[in-house]
């Protein structure tokens, strides 16, 4: 099947479209130097590289893997990262962690990231045991690392309606020192990233500011999908409310100052949760997204849109399955469909696309949000197709739209690679919101 070029834009991440055009000469329009000739590999490698800013990777290690990985080859992507993961795991395990806790912790964190990254593309084949086994190795190493971290991370499992919610709680050193409650930032990831990544993206930045840092996952996300087999749900407040209930039981949590952040697809999930969960003091949507089904449809070829709208599930499924199987299809497109089937726990592309449209924001939903909402936008990020502005408009005086600049290296989706800027802008904003809380 010949794919329309417009399908390239179907991505959840978008620097790709820009990276492809006019690249050689421009220093401002190209968000970053490609790390692979496969655009989507390049983007994901950038995502792994960005973990370096928060101790989740090391630049030399990732750039070495990037140099060896064969463009578009999932097995090659796996084996280079698995090699790094195993090697760093061995380093960590050989260090006497009692005597050298910092060295052991750092190596365990990086091993954990590389194990997780190695299986990133394997959601395309859910019967591949590595999708689970190697993931578990990453989780075990992450747990070794957070046990050696200061503050330590505590895993807690909460009960939601029909599912369990895995949470990781990092108690602010300030709360420990003053023995008083402090503000808390709760972060959720999106369509594909695991909660562990958030520790490196924002967690250390948040802890440095003297606040508690907490992450959670719900149905459709990395651990819940693996261990409970559940896909995304539109009633996302059912995931967040039990977490807020739990936070209210913790003496170190200032319950009037809890903010909920969402990364990527989480930029939909967080405001969606806040539309029914009113105990939050602020919401941070990184970036502002309203409806991923709309973004996808806008980049589908007209024939695919027509098939979807015809409601003929058999025909739409056959079309998308052919796209997935086509060697000519860009990695990005194949991944987006495969990841969608995995994270919505369905075999049917039609069912996935329907469900994707149910997890959305609109003016009515956002009219139920009672707290201020930060709406992020990457200057070069076409993922949202302008939805950031739409979300901010629906929020009216509750919304604060901020554009991160490409010239400063912060223009890509979720400001990947510019985490210190992301933290500075969002955390200073939320600090002012907290200050205004009576
Ligand atoms: C690419 O270059 C052409 C011709 O110089 C220009 O018209 C176009 O706007 C550029 N596109 C981007 C994305 O920079
Ligand atoms: C780069 O820019 C120069 C000067 O504008 C131009 O002569 C050259 O053709 C450009 N190269 C490419 C690959 O676009
Ligand atoms: C690890 O280091 C601690 C503290 O120096 C020491 O007491 C312990 O014996 C060491 N363990 C091993 C297995 O060498
Ligand atoms: C999926 O993984 C299983 C188990 O490794 C393997 O037997 C099967 O061939 C794979 N399927 C595809 C389409 O690659
Ligand atoms: C749906 O599409 C399939 C395959 O193209 C076709 O055979 C079938 O007749 C269509 N069903 C309807 C109700 O149009
Ligand atoms: C707004 O909240 C009320 C109360 O929870 C709920 O009944 C209503 O359906 C919500 N509106 C939307 C559009 O979600």
């Amino acid at each position: 099947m010949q794919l329309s070029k417009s399908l390239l834009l179907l991505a959840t991440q978008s620097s790709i479209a820009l990276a492809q055009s006019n690249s050689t000469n421009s220093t401002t329009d190209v968000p970053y130097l490609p790390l692979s000739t496969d655009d989507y590999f390049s983007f994901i490698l950038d995502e792994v590289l960005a973990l370096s800013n928060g101790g989740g990777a090391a630049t030399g290690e990732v750039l070495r893997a990037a140099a060896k990985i064969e463009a578009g080859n999932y097995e090659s992507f796996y084996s280079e990262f698995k090699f790094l993961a195993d090697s760093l795991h061995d380093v960590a395990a050989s260090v006497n962690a009692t005597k050298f806790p910092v060295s052991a912790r750092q190596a365990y964190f990086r091993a954990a990231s590389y194990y997780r990254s190695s299986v990133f593309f394997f959601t395309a084949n859910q019967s591949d045991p590595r999708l689970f086994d190697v993931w578990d190795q990453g989780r075990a190493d992450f747990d070794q690392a957070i046990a050696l971290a200061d503050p330590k991370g505590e895993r807690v499992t909460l009960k939601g309606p029909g599912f369990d919610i895995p949470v990781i709680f990092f108690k602010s050193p300030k709360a420990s020192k003053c023995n008083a409650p402090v503000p808390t930032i709760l972060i959720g990831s999106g369509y594909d990233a695991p909660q562990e990544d958030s520790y490196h993206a924002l967690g250390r930045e948040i802890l440095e500011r003297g606040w508690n840092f907490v992450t959670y996952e719900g149905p459709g996300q990395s651990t819940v999908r693996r261990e409970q087999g559940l896909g995304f749900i539109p009633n996302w407040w059912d995931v967040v409310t039990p977490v807020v209930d739990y936070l209210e039981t913790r003496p170190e949590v200032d319950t009037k100052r809890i903010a909920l952040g969402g990364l990527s697809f989480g930029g939909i999930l967080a405001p969606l949760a806040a539309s029914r969960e009113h105990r939050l003091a602020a919401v941070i949507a990184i970036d502002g997204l309203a409806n991923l089904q709309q973004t996808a449809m806008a980049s589908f070829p007209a024939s695919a849109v027509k098939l979807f709208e015809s409601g003929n599930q058999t025909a739409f499924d056959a079309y998308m399955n052919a796209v997935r199987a086509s060697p000519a299809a860009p990695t990005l497109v194949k991944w987006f469909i495969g990841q969608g089937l995995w994270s919505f726990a369905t075999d049917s592309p039609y069912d996935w696309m329907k469900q994707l449209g149910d997890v959305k924001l609109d003016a009515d939903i956002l009219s139920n949000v009672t707290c201020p909402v930060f709406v992020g936008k990457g200057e070069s990020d076409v993922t949202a197709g302008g939805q950031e502005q739409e979300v901010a408009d629906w929020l009216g005086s509750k919304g604060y739209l901020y554009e991160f600049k490409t010239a400063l290296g912060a223009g890509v989706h979720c400001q990947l690679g510019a985490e210190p800027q992301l933290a500075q802008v969002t955390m200073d904003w939320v600090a002012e919101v907290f200050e205004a809380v009576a």
Side-chain angles (χ1 to χ4, degrees), residues 93-259:
S94 69
V95 169
N96 180 336
T98 312
K99 198 167 177 182
F100 302 117
V102 174
S103 300
R105 187 229 309 145
Q106 290 184 351
Y108 275 127
F109 267 137
R110 303 205 308 287
S113 300
Y114 300 145
Y115 280 125
R116 295 196 303 273
S117 302
S118 73
V119 298
F120 181 82
F121 287 101
F122 287 166
T123 51
N125 180 3
Q126 299 177 19
S127 51
D128 191 324
R130 294 171 297 182
L131 186 55
F132 299 86
D133 301 349
V134 176
W135 178 267
D136 288 345
Q137 287 180 270
R139 182 183 161 131
D141 279 3
F142 189 82
D143 287 351
Q144 294 274 7
I146 60 175
L148 293 166
D150 184 19
K152 289 184 188 359
E154 268 176 75
R155 287 211 187 248
V156 183
T157 303
L158 304 175
K159 283 276 168 220
F163 48 85
D164 288 345
I165 306 163
V167 166
I168 313 178
F169 190 103
F170 294 86
K171 177 179 172 176
S172 160
K174 192 173 159 196
S176 305
K177 210 162 95 197
C178 308
N179 209 16
V182 297
T184 300
I185 312 286
L186 173 62
I187 297 285
S189 43
Y191 196 65
D192 53 274
Q195 65 178 331
E196 287 80 1
D197 281 6
S198 304
Y199 176 76
H200 305 295
L202 279 172
R204 295 174 14 149
E205 295 276 359
I206 289 166
L207 290 164
E208 262 199 90
R209 285 165 170 81
W211 300 335
N212 301 307
F213 167 66
V214 187
T215 60
Y216 75 100
E217 279 179 12
Q221 296 184 314
S222 302
T223 302
V224 179
R225 175 61 186 85
R226 279 183 173 80
E227 294 179 355
Q228 302 171 54
L230 300 171
F232 278 112
I233 54 172
N235 44 319
W236 199 255
W237 49 86
D238 281 343
V239 188
V240 170
T241 287
V243 183
V244 178
D245 289 344
Y246 170 72
L247 294 179
E248 289 196 325
T249 69
R250 302 266 322 207
E252 54 279 312
V253 172
D254 172 352
T255 56
K256 284 184 160 175
R257 291 175 183 79
I258 299 171

